[in-house]
Amino acid sequence: MKNVVILGSTGSIGTSAIKVAQDLPDRIRVLALAAGNNSELLLEQTRRFRPEAISIGDAAGVPKLRDAVGPLCEVYSGPEGLVQLATLPAADIVLLAIVGTAGLQPALAAIRAGKDLAVASKEILVMAGEIVMREAHKYGVRVLAVDSEHSAIFQCLDGKPAASVRKLWLTASGGPFRDAAEWPKGKFPDITVERALQHPSWVMGRKITIDSATLFNKGLEMIEARWLFDVGMDRVGVLVHPQSIVHSMVEFVDGALLAQLSTPDMCLPIQYALTYPERLASARVQTDFARLGALTFEAPDEDRFPSLALARHAGEVGGTLPAVLNAANEIAVAAFINRQINFSQITETVRRTMAAHQVVAHPTLEQILAADAWARQTAAAGH
Ligand code: MG
């Protein structure tokens, strides 16, 4: 039985994790749940799983929740609530599925309390990969990837050291604007929010769906892979694979390639992370190759999608630059969704903000958060 803390239980990843917990009642105990502002769904999940503790974003929501859940469940709120949950004595593993920087402090608190991490929030490794991996090593805890690509790589590596890797190949669906004939670069400024939110193969939150359309999602994943698997950016490649069946591949030094395949369903990588090193039976994912027919691959179009080069550069330079890329992108995506800037200006905002940044090498967490705040201001000032 694993005692699992789910931070971000009402979001896209969180609700998939809830399904996994429902599938495996004898193996997964939901110890604690944290939500941002959806107290209704949090309450429903609390009634179903009877966790030890829950947390809600805004302290104003606490009294009502406390009344509803009764005395057997502690109710916390805000950033301190996340840290409380992440360090509960009985917790074995903490699933971080909060969008944005809010997951950083609870992630480090969990590591220092000896908890394994299942990381779905990319920001944690993009911004602070060096610190997180160093601390995880120091405290002897595992950092397990929940992102489908990184889970695939982790499954293919199966414990092999970084020295046995020639290249990690992250696959990308290519997003809704993959087709260069239909979506030439000149049309990018006219892309509407509604069109960008239509993703061909995955159903996800809004921020990550826009990131998939700009390919910033893949850029962030390149940096994430660099830290998770301890390889240089030159050994992280991207392949566009529109069917989203091959979730990623490892090319080993002897030329052999291993890939992990299945129909896309986040429940699979979530279950693998929460039950690792076991592989438990689930009927949820079924893949019919005869029906799929062809799997295709192509190089990403870096001219139309400059996000990949920006991410490669940020990952190579390191220090505070990945945090700046991440923060500027968050601001730019929000501005695009609010119709303040056009689709092409998302990348432009990130490029401009990165160019203006004075990089701090080997930063502390405080320096990373300062760079994050600086980047948000600088990116927002441009529009
Ligand atoms: Mg992914």
Side-chain angles (χ1 to χ4, degrees):
M1 187 68 105
K2 280 217 187 158
N3 288 319
V4 178
V5 173
I6 303 176
L7 303 184
S9 67
T10 57
S12 170
I13 295 287
T15 48
S16 292
I18 291 288
K19 286 186 204 165
V20 171
Q22 275 174 308
D23 287 351
L24 302 169
D26 303 332
R27 308 305 295 265
I28 291 176
R29 176 171 169 235
V30 176
L31 186 73
L33 296 165
N37 48 33
N38 191 346
S39 54
E40 220 159 287
L41 183 53
L42 176 64
L43 195 54
E44 192 188 312
Q45 293 171 343
T46 303
R47 290 196 170 118
R48 185 178 309 148
F49 291 101
R50 304 187 175 280
E52 250 180 36
I54 59 173
S55 185
I56 186 85
D58 188 351
V62 171
K64 207 175 146 198
L65 279 171
R66 210 166 260 157
D67 279 351
V69 300
L72 294 177
C73 177
E74 288 286 345
V75 183
Y76 300 101
S77 67
E80 320 79 55
L82 297 175
V83 171
Q84 287 282 354
L85 264 52
T87 56
L88 283 174
D92 295 311
I93 184 164
V94 178
L95 171 62
L96 287 140
I98 314 168
V99 183
T101 53
L104 261 174
Q105 300 281 9
L108 289 168
I111 291 172
R112 289 166 185 158
K115 317 297 184 191
D116 286 339
L117 288 190
V119 178
S121 315
K122 293 187 170 69
E123 293 84 0
I124 290 168
L125 289 164
V126 170
M127 294 177 68
E130 190 177 0
I131 298 176
V132 167
M133 297 312 285
R134 188 181 62 218
E135 292 291 291
H137 189 75
K138 185 170 149 193
Y139 287 88
V141 303
R142 291 186 178 118
V143 179
L144 296 154
V146 166
D147 224 343
S148 59
E149 294 80 359
H150 305 80
S151 175
I153 289 171
F154 181 69
Q155 293 177 59
C156 296
L157 277 174
D158 198 26
K160 299 278 185 307
S164 65
V165 174
R166 186 188 285 169
K167 198 143 185 166
L168 304 177
W169 289 104
L170 295 172
T171 52
S173 71
F177 312 119
R178 177 179 60 87
D179 188 339
E182 193 187 347
W183 297 101
K185 210 175 168 182
K187 269 171 93 174
F188 274 24
D190 304 325
I191 288 170
T192 62
V193 175
E194 291 70 25
R195 191 64 191 79
L197 285 173
Q198 292 166 17
H199 192 272
S201 45
W202 293 94
V203 179
M204 306 173 289
R206 291 208 303 177
K207 159 74 167 55
I208 192 171
T209 303
I210 301 297
D211 283 349
S212 298
T214 57
L215 296 200
F216 262 116
N217 182 52
K218 210 51 53 180
L220 296 171
E221 288 178 357
M222 290 168 75
I223 301 171
E224 203 183 350
R226 179 253 173 279
W227 289 115
L228 269 174
F229 305 113
D230 193 24
V231 296
M233 291 300 284
D234 58 328
R235 285 199 284 163
V236 182
V238 173
L239 266 177
V240 172
H241 166 51
Q243 297 82 14
S244 299
I245 298 296
V246 174
H247 297 308
S248 276
M249 304 191 270
V250 176
E251 182 178 348
F252 289 95
V253 283
D254 60 0
L257 281 134
L258 292 186
Q260 185 257 326
L261 300 84
S262 76
T263 51
D265 187 329
M266 282 311 292
C267 288
L268 177 51
I270 291 168
Q271 175 174 315
Y272 193 71
L274 295 185
T275 62
Y276 180 81
E278 290 186 87
R279 226 179 240 288
L280 299 179
S282 169
R284 215 172 258 288
V285 178
Q286 310 285 344
T287 309
D288 183 347
F289 270 81
R291 255 189 71 193
L292 281 170
L295 300 179
T296 61
F297 302 89
E298 63 198 47
D301 183 342
E302 298 217 7
D303 179 45
R304 285 190 309 136
F305 299 104
S307 50
L308 294 177
L310 288 173
R312 198 176 294 115
H313 176 66
E316 273 162 5
V317 173
T320 46
L321 199 55
V324 166
L325 171 137
N326 174 66
N329 179 52
E330 266 187 48
I331 293 296
V333 170
F336 172 67
I337 290 174
N338 293 330
R339 296 163 219 272
Q340 293 166 293
I341 63 172
N342 73 38
F343 188 80
S344 298
Q345 287 170 313
I346 298 175
T347 313
E348 269 322 299
T349 301
V350 176
R351 186 200 308 281
R352 183 170 42 74
T353 310
M354 282 172 67
H357 182 60
Q358 294 273 346
V359 177
V360 180
H362 308 294
T364 61
L365 187 63
E366 290 68 34
Q367 287 171 316
I368 290 169
L369 292 172
D372 173 90
W374 172 88
R376 280 166 205 279
Q377 256 178 8
T378 306
H383 56 256

Coordinates of all heavy atoms in Angstrom, one line a residue, residues 101 104-105 127 320 323-324 327 357-358 360 363-378:
T101 N 4.7 28.1 -10.3 CA 5.8 28.0 -9.4 C 5.4 27.5 -8.0 O 6.2 27.2 -7.2 CB 6.5 29.3 -9.2 OG1 5.5 30.3 -8.9 CG2 7.1 29.8 -10.5
L104 N 7.1 24.5 -6.2 CA 8.6 24.4 -5.9 C 8.8 24.2 -4.4 O 9.6 23.3 -4.0 CB 9.2 25.7 -6.3 CG 10.0 25.7 -7.6 CD1 10.4 27.1 -8.0 CD2 11.1 24.7 -7.6
Q105 N 8.2 25.0 -3.5 CA 8.5 24.9 -2.1 C 8.0 23.5 -1.6 O 8.8 22.9 -0.9 CB 7.8 26.0 -1.3 CG 8.3 27.4 -1.7 CD 9.7 27.8 -1.1 OE1 10.3 26.9 -0.5 NE2 10.1 29.0 -1.2
M127 N 12.7 25.1 -13.7 CA 13.3 26.3 -13.0 C 14.4 25.8 -12.0 O 15.4 26.6 -11.9 CB 12.2 26.9 -12.1 CG 11.1 27.5 -12.9 SD 9.8 28.1 -11.8 CE 10.7 29.5 -10.9
T320 N 19.8 30.8 -14.1 CA 18.5 31.3 -14.0 C 17.7 31.4 -15.3 O 16.5 31.8 -15.3 CB 18.5 32.8 -13.4 OG1 19.5 33.5 -14.0 CG2 18.8 32.7 -11.9
A323 N 14.4 29.5 -15.9 CA 13.3 30.0 -15.1 C 12.7 31.3 -15.8 O 11.5 31.5 -15.8 CB 13.8 30.4 -13.7
V324 N 13.6 32.0 -16.4 CA 13.2 33.2 -17.1 C 12.3 32.8 -18.4 O 11.3 33.4 -18.6 CB 14.4 34.1 -17.5 CG1 14.0 35.2 -18.6 CG2 15.0 34.7 -16.3
A327 N 8.9 31.7 -17.0 CA 8.0 32.8 -16.5 C 7.5 33.7 -17.6 O 6.4 34.0 -17.7 CB 8.8 33.6 -15.5
H357 N 18.0 39.4 -19.9 CA 18.3 38.8 -18.6 C 19.8 38.7 -18.3 O 20.5 38.2 -19.1 CB 17.6 37.5 -18.4 CG 17.8 36.8 -17.1 ND1 17.4 37.4 -15.9 CD2 18.4 35.7 -16.7 CE1 17.7 36.7 -14.9 NE2 18.3 35.6 -15.3
Q358 N 20.2 39.1 -17.1 CA 21.5 38.8 -16.6 C 21.5 37.5 -15.9 O 21.0 37.4 -14.8 CB 21.9 39.9 -15.6 CG 22.0 41.3 -16.2 CD 23.4 41.6 -16.7 OE1 24.4 40.8 -16.5 NE2 23.6 42.6 -17.5
V360 N 22.3 34.3 -13.7 CA 23.0 33.9 -12.5 C 23.3 32.4 -12.6 O 22.4 31.6 -12.7 CB 22.2 34.2 -11.2 CG1 23.0 33.7 -9.9 CG2 21.8 35.6 -11.1
P363 N 22.2 29.2 -9.3 CA 21.5 30.0 -8.4 C 20.9 29.3 -7.2 O 20.7 28.1 -7.3 CB 20.3 30.5 -9.3 CG 20.1 29.4 -10.3 CD 21.5 28.8 -10.6
T364 N 20.7 30.0 -6.1 CA 19.9 29.5 -5.0 C 18.4 29.6 -5.4 O 18.1 30.2 -6.4 CB 20.1 30.4 -3.8 OG1 19.7 31.7 -4.1 CG2 21.6 30.4 -3.4
L365 N 17.6 29.0 -4.5 CA 16.2 29.0 -4.8 C 15.7 30.4 -4.8 O 14.8 30.8 -5.6 CB 15.4 28.2 -3.8 CG 13.9 28.0 -4.0 CD1 13.7 27.2 -5.3 CD2 13.2 27.3 -2.9
E366 N 16.2 31.3 -3.9 CA 15.8 32.7 -3.8 C 16.2 33.4 -5.1 O 15.4 34.2 -5.6 CB 16.5 33.4 -2.6 CG 16.0 32.9 -1.2 CD 16.4 31.5 -0.9 OE1 17.5 31.0 -1.3 OE2 15.6 30.8 -0.2
Q367 N 17.3 33.1 -5.6 CA 17.7 33.8 -6.9 C 16.9 33.3 -8.0 O 16.6 34.1 -8.9 CB 19.2 33.5 -7.2 CG 20.2 34.3 -6.2 CD 21.6 33.8 -6.3 OE1 21.9 32.6 -6.4 NE2 22.5 34.8 -6.4
I368 N 16.5 32.1 -8.0 CA 15.6 31.6 -9.1 C 14.2 32.3 -9.0 O 13.7 32.7 -10.0 CB 15.4 30.0 -8.9 CG1 16.7 29.3 -9.3 CG2 14.3 29.5 -9.8 CD1 16.7 27.8 -9.0
L369 N 13.7 32.4 -7.8 CA 12.4 33.0 -7.6 C 12.5 34.5 -8.0 O 11.5 35.1 -8.5 CB 11.9 32.8 -6.2 CG 11.5 31.4 -5.9 CD1 11.2 31.2 -4.4 CD2 10.3 30.9 -6.7
A370 N 13.6 35.1 -7.7 CA 13.8 36.5 -8.0 C 13.9 36.7 -9.6 O 13.3 37.6 -10.1 CB 15.1 37.1 -7.4
A371 N 14.6 35.8 -10.2 CA 14.6 35.8 -11.7 C 13.2 35.6 -12.3 O 12.8 36.2 -13.3 CB 15.6 34.7 -12.2
D372 N 12.5 34.7 -11.7 CA 11.1 34.4 -12.1 C 10.2 35.7 -12.0 O 9.6 36.1 -13.0 CB 10.5 33.3 -11.2 CG 9.0 33.1 -11.5 OD1 8.7 32.2 -12.3 OD2 8.2 33.7 -10.8
A373 N 10.3 36.4 -10.9 CA 9.6 37.6 -10.7 C 10.0 38.7 -11.7 O 9.2 39.4 -12.3 CB 9.7 38.1 -9.2
W374 N 11.3 38.8 -11.8 CA 11.8 39.8 -12.8 C 11.3 39.5 -14.2 O 10.9 40.4 -14.9 CB 13.4 39.7 -12.8 CG 14.0 40.6 -13.9 CD1 14.3 41.9 -13.8 CD2 14.3 40.2 -15.2 NE1 14.8 42.3 -15.0 CE2 14.8 41.3 -15.9 CE3 14.2 39.0 -15.9 CZ2 15.2 41.3 -17.2 CZ3 14.6 38.9 -17.2 CH2 15.1 40.1 -17.9
A375 N 11.3 38.2 -14.6 CA 10.9 37.9 -15.9 C 9.4 38.2 -16.2 O 9.0 38.6 -17.2 CB 11.2 36.4 -16.2
R376 N 8.6 37.9 -15.1 CA 7.2 38.2 -15.2 C 6.9 39.7 -15.5 O 6.1 40.1 -16.3 CB 6.4 37.8 -14.0 CG 6.2 36.3 -13.9 CD 5.8 35.7 -12.6 NE 6.1 34.3 -12.6 CZ 5.4 33.3 -13.2 NH1 4.2 33.7 -13.7 NH2 5.8 32.1 -13.2
Q377 N 7.6 40.5 -14.7 CA 7.5 42.0 -14.9 C 8.0 42.4 -16.2 O 7.3 43.2 -16.9 CB 8.4 42.7 -13.8 CG 7.6 43.2 -12.7 CD 8.5 43.8 -11.6 OE1 9.7 44.0 -11.8 NE2 7.9 44.2 -10.5
T378 N 9.1 41.9 -16.6 CA 9.7 42.3 -17.9 C 8.9 41.9 -19.1 O 8.6 42.7 -20.0 CB 11.2 41.8 -18.0 OG1 11.9 42.1 -16.8 CG2 11.9 42.3 -19.3

